């Protein structure tokens, strides 16, 4: 809970110091994006490492003087316990450790929304539909929590984009569900 409060305070301070955009910089057309994201959980530690793969859809919401985006994501997080590293010609042994299937909804603010550049800062809700951890390998359960997200996209002239994002997810119901701080890249296409 302390970590969540810390991130929310930092987010509020950052948002409070960003200057407001001119009215002409707001979104004038309704657009959306389909994206695929891959990220690495930096909260994991050796030998516990994991990655998150997500498919998402994002819609721009033209609100007077404020650029907002509403997004939804479906993902798969898998973490592994690396028991052995490469030793001569012996390969690494992977044992499954933690699996999470999150469904995320978020609302984001676009402080930078130009022709080729988009910066998003947002908060949302995460529902972990299926969770399996190494402590209870035969048990599947659900969980829910909050997420904080920041991302940058560079949009090419043909509406394809590449980007980078950071997303922190904190689950509240079952304490054995790990917190996720994923850093990764995204690819996708924008629709006008």
């Amino acid at each position: 809970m302390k970590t969540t409060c810390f991130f929310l305070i930092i987010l509020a301070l950052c948002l409070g110091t960003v200057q407001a955009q001119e009215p002409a910089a707001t979104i004038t057309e309704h657009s959306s994006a389909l994206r695929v994201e891959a990220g690495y959980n930096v909260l994991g530690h050796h030998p516990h490492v994991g990655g998150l793969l997500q498919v998402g859809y994002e819609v721009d919401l033209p609100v007077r003087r404020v650029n907002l985006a509403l997004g939804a994501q479906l993902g798969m997080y898998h973490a592994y316990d690396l028991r052995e590293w490469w030793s001569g010609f012996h390969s690494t042994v992977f044992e499954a450790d933690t699996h999470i299937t999150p469904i995320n909804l978020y609302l984001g603010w676009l402080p930078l929304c130009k022709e080729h550049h988009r910066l998003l800062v947002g908060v949302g809700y995460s529902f972990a539909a299926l969770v399996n951890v190494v402590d209870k390998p035969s048990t599947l359960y659900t969980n829910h929590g909050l997420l904080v997200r920041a991302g940058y996209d560079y949009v090419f002239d043909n509406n394809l984009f590449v980007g980078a994002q950071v997303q922190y997810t904190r689950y509240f119901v079952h304490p054995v569900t790990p917190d996720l701080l994923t850093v990764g890249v995204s690819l996708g296409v924008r629709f006008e």
Side-chain angles (χ1 to χ4, degrees):
M1 187 65 182
K2 291 179 184 178
T3 306
T4 304
C5 291
F6 174 75
F7 278 108
L8 291 176
I9 289 169
I10 296 298
L11 179 65
L13 290 174
C14 290
L15 292 178
T17 60
V18 176
Q19 294 181 354
Q21 291 183 349
E22 296 296 323
T26 58
I27 297 170
T28 57
E29 294 183 18
H30 184 73
S31 65
S32 59
L34 182 63
R35 65 175 60 236
V36 176
E37 301 176 353
Y40 176 74
N41 183 20
V42 297
L43 292 180
H45 56 283
H46 175 75
H48 183 83
V49 297
L52 178 68
L53 180 65
Q54 297 185 122
V55 176
Y57 186 74
E58 193 173 278
V59 177
D60 292 342
L61 304 173
V63 180
R64 186 176 176 188
R65 295 190 179 196
V66 179
N67 295 332
L68 298 177
L70 181 64
Q73 301 169 320
L74 175 62
M76 295 183 306
Y77 173 77
H78 294 285
Y80 294 93
D81 191 357
L82 301 174
R83 299 289 182 190
E84 299 176 8
W85 290 93
W86 284 94
S87 174
F89 292 105
H90 297 78
S91 62
T92 304
V93 176
F94 293 92
E95 289 191 13
D97 190 15
T98 302
H99 304 283
I100 302 173
T101 305
I103 300 169
N104 301 327
L105 297 173
Y106 62 89
L107 180 65
W109 172 54
L110 299 161
L112 176 63
C113 185
K114 302 228 181 226
E115 184 179 353
H116 293 288
H117 305 280
R118 295 173 56 84
L119 179 66
L120 180 132
V121 178
V123 295
Y125 171 77
S126 180
F127 174 69
L130 296 172
V131 178
N132 182 266
V133 295
V134 72
D135 297 338
K136 300 177 182 179
S138 61
T139 304
L140 290 175
Y141 56 91
T142 61
N143 209 334
H144 64 89
L146 297 175
L147 67 89
V148 177
R149 177 180 176 81
Y152 169 80
D153 293 332
Y154 180 82
V155 184
F156 297 98
D157 289 331
N158 57 1
N159 285 336
L160 295 176
F161 66 85
V162 296
Q165 78 278 338
V166 175
Q167 182 168 303
Y168 175 72
T169 309
R170 168 85 172 152
Y171 293 105
F172 297 116
V173 178
H174 300 285
V176 293
T177 307
D179 293 346
L180 304 178
L181 178 58
T182 55
V183 177
V185 296
S186 61
L187 300 169
V189 63
R190 296 206 61 82
F191 305 101
E192 299 293 331

